Amino acid sequence: MEAEHHHQTSNAGGIIGGLYVKVMTDDQMELLRQQISVYATICQQLVEMHKAVTIQQDLAGLRLGNLYCDPLMACSGHKITARQRWTPTPLQLQVLERIFDEGNGTPSKQKIKDITIELGQHGQISETNVYNWFQNRRARSKRKQLTPALNVVEPEVETEVEVESPKEKKTRAEGFQVQPYEKSSPHRIKDMYIQSPDIEPLTGNIPIMMLK
Amino acid sequence: MEAEHHHQTSNAGGIIGGLYVKVMTDDQMELLRQQISVYATICQQLVEMHKAVTIQQDLAGLRLGNLYCDPLMACSGHKITARQRWTPTPLQLQVLERIFDEGNGTPSKQKIKDITIELGQHGQISETNVYNWFQNRRARSKRKQLTPALNVVEPEVETEVEVESPKEKKTRAEGFQVQPYEKSSPHRIKDMYIQSPDIEPLTGNIPIMMLK
DNA sequence: CCTGTATGAATGAAAG
DNA sequence: CTTTCATTCATACAGG
């Protein structure tokens, strides 16, 4: 940062103790140390986030944070508005997706039971939930598959529904959006939750001191 | 990574060019460089993840990212635009409304296909869009019908009473959809996608070379 | 710029 | 299994 004295000395190297070595001024060394420190800190925080996301998340109960929130209400002796609909925790979802991918495409009765028990470790869940999940997953997966052909504007298709008012006005660009439902393999994607508020200032502009 | 000779020389420092400096062997320097490089890489990737997350903000729901755009936009070096959502052009809307009114309560798959193709003449659209549109149209149409009153919404209701006041206005029901989304909220949960396969082994055990 | 509302999309559950 | 319904999330857009 400072010590702008006059150490434009020998940044090259020299023989000390009979060995050729690079030398650094204290400033450089300090800068380096700081640099590493910064990275270490950032990495630690990010890793923290990652862990929090990957591992926990369910201890906080179902992730219905917005309605069934505060346990406070529960303490008031009032009836806790139970959740209406099950929602898999990120962790559960991860497991489910994995199982789904594994190809054991046929979730047998027993299989369902096992999965349910396993997922029960990460949050409230029932066999029905699991069953439905697979049911839906399969169905939707299939449908998306059948949506490869996207209209490419066929001029000859002129049905009578061409009712258009002259006052028609093309407000905005109605034509750019990624349409295709599912990429070939969405399994490459993982989902995680970040709850650490400390990473906010992360901008990607981590200054790095080039060594040499 | 060698020179395992005997350079336990002067790791301390020395006077070179009239300035006291720390010295390092090439091995140390190399190690250091690697260390920083590792951090830099990891941080970059993590930052990437974080950015991806910040952009496609998702609060509570765990939207399985099946259509969230991909690296496409990234390569152009352009801003990673958030996912766009389809919006029917006035013309398309007109047609959709007309079809809906026609009473064909259940747009079959084939019907959907036809409609999609037809509407494709007036702008980008997919079968899914059409499907969703009818789905929503039906659901909302029904709801408004069944909503003679407007609820007063008591946060501590015991049942999901849909009590509603005779609000003539055709607005939606229960105006109690909290959107606890604040930039300062510590509950900021988002889901992010890890597309970089290199981060896998993230365990928090990032070896760090202490600079003493 | 912030807030509320309309509406496209995602998805658990249930009906067919 | 396939289709439909219900509920919720997220975002585009209009007002203040």
Side-chain angles (χ1 to χ4, degrees):
Chain A
M1 299 350 189
E2 9 197 346
E4 299 300 326
H5 312 310
H6 59 295
H7 48 23
Q8 302 311 319
T9 54
S10 63
N11 235 56
I15 304 294
I16 292 182
L19 191 70
Y20 186 84
V21 295
K22 294 290 190 304
V23 299
M24 305 179 82
T25 62
D26 280 323
D27 313 270
Q28 292 176 311
M29 188 64 97
E30 182 53 34
L31 224 180
L32 232 187
R33 211 173 310 201
Q34 285 182 2
Q35 185 62 53
I36 291 183
S37 177
V38 168
Y39 276 142
T41 301
I42 294 177
C43 284
Q44 247 172 272
Q45 295 184 337
L46 288 168
V47 168
E48 254 347 282
M49 276 163 50
H50 191 262
K51 277 197 292 189
V53 163
T54 306
I55 299 172
Q56 300 163 164
Q57 183 65 60
D58 26 348
L59 298 179
L62 297 179
R63 102 155 200 271
L64 341 138
N66 40 355
L67 0 173
Y68 171 34
C69 39
D70 344 288
L72 310 174
M73 299 176 79
C75 302
S76 69
H78 211 301
K79 178 184 181 298
I80 312 172
T81 319
R83 199 60 228 124
Q84 302 179 17
R85 172 168 125 168
W86 166 75
T87 302
T89 66
L91 230 166
Q92 293 178 324
L93 223 184
Q94 241 177 36
V95 177
L96 285 169
E97 286 290 352
R98 188 171 56 63
I99 296 176
F100 183 78
D101 290 341
E102 264 169 24
N104 298 318
T106 320
S108 65
K109 210 81 170 181
Q110 187 52 48
K111 192 77 179 164
I112 295 275
K113 230 184 256 296
D114 295 340
I115 297 174
T116 302
I117 292 177
E118 184 185 329
L119 294 182
Q121 307 301 304
H122 310 307
Q124 200 54 238
I125 191 172
S126 75
E127 289 177 42
T128 304
N129 296 144
V130 177
Y131 176 76
N132 283 330
W133 191 87
F134 276 98
Q135 204 75 32
N136 284 313
R137 190 74 178 73
R138 217 174 304 133
R140 284 166 178 147
S141 174
K142 177 191 287 183
R143 182 198 303 211
K144 288 170 185 174
Q145 209 169 40
L146 302 177
T147 314
L150 187 50
N151 65 356
V152 190
V153 184
E154 293 182 45
E156 65 272 33
V157 184
E158 286 187 37
T159 19
E160 77 313 309
V161 204
E162 202 65 350
V163 227
E164 72 170 352
S165 53
K167 67 183 288 296
E168 180 55 36
K169 164 186 156 195
K170 297 279 186 175
T171 45
R172 65 212 151 256
E174 80 262 344
F176 61 111
Q177 106 227 34
V178 223
Q179 259 320 314
Y181 231 47
E182 180 172 85
K183 299 188 293 185
S184 47
S185 177
H187 315 320
R188 191 109 216 93
I189 306 172
K190 289 181 151 194
D191 24 36
M192 60 195 281
Y193 282 52
I194 299 179
Q195 31 189 359
S196 170
D198 304 307
I199 303 297
E200 287 289 330
L202 221 45
T203 62
N205 285 320
I206 300 173
I208 175 170
M209 166 182 144
M210 290 314 287
L211 273 187
K212 147 169 172 238
Chain B
M1 298 307 250
E2 43 160 337
E4 297 297 321
H5 313 311
H6 59 295
H7 50 20
Q8 300 311 320
T9 54
S10 63
N11 234 58
I15 303 293
I16 293 183
L19 191 71
Y20 187 85
V21 295
K22 294 289 191 302
V23 299
M24 306 179 82
T25 62
D26 279 322
D27 312 271
Q28 291 177 309
M29 187 65 98
E30 183 53 34
L31 224 182
L32 232 187
R33 211 173 310 200
Q34 285 182 1
Q35 185 62 52
I36 291 184
S37 176
V38 168
Y39 276 141
T41 302
I42 294 177
C43 285
Q44 245 171 270
Q45 296 182 338
L46 288 168
V47 166
E48 245 1 271
M49 276 162 48
H50 191 261
K51 275 197 291 187
V53 163
T54 304
I55 291 171
Q56 61 140 76
Q57 27 201 220
D58 180 60
L59 221 216
L62 191 261
R63 261 73 208 113
L64 217 235
N66 36 9
L67 68 131
Y68 280 137
C69 20
D70 19 25
L72 299 180
M73 352 185 51
C75 50
S76 69
H78 210 57
K79 55 86 188 313
I80 307 175
T81 12
R83 172 186 48 153
Q84 296 289 321
R85 102 175 170 182
W86 169 73
T87 302
T89 65
L91 228 164
Q92 294 178 325
L93 224 182
Q94 234 177 43
V95 178
L96 286 169
E97 285 291 353
R98 188 173 59 63
I99 295 175
F100 181 78
D101 291 337
E102 268 169 21
N104 301 314
T106 309
S108 65
K109 262 199 288 280
Q110 187 50 52
K111 191 74 178 166
I112 296 273
K113 228 182 258 295
D114 295 340
I115 297 175
T116 301
I117 292 176
E118 186 185 323
L119 294 181
Q121 307 302 304
H122 312 308
Q124 201 52 240
I125 192 174
S126 76
E127 287 177 42
T128 303
N129 296 143
V130 177
Y131 175 77
N132 284 332
W133 191 88
F134 277 97
Q135 206 72 33
N136 285 313
R137 191 73 176 71
R138 213 179 308 139
R140 287 168 176 145
S141 172
K142 176 193 286 183
R143 188 152 194 177
K144 284 171 182 172
Q145 228 169 29
L146 301 177
T147 317
L150 180 58
N151 69 350
V152 191
V153 182
E154 284 301 313
E156 44 89 57
V157 248
E158 57 291 331
T159 61
E160 59 277 6
V161 228
E162 292 283 276
V163 196
E164 292 170 297
S165 71
K167 209 58 170 291
E168 190 275 342
K169 191 181 180 186
K170 54 167 292 182
T171 48
R172 17 113 56 263
E174 53 265 71
F176 189 54
Q177 183 166 320
V178 254
Q179 209 78 344
Y181 182 117
E182 332 174 311
K183 21 191 186 277
S184 56
S185 172
H187 292 95
R188 184 135 165 190
I189 302 175
K190 293 163 179 284
D191 75 20
M192 63 196 281
Y193 295 59
I194 302 177
Q195 24 192 5
S196 172
D198 303 308
I199 300 296
E200 287 287 332
L202 215 48
T203 61
N205 284 322
I206 300 174
I208 176 170
M209 167 181 145
M210 291 316 285
L211 266 188
K212 192 242 216 89

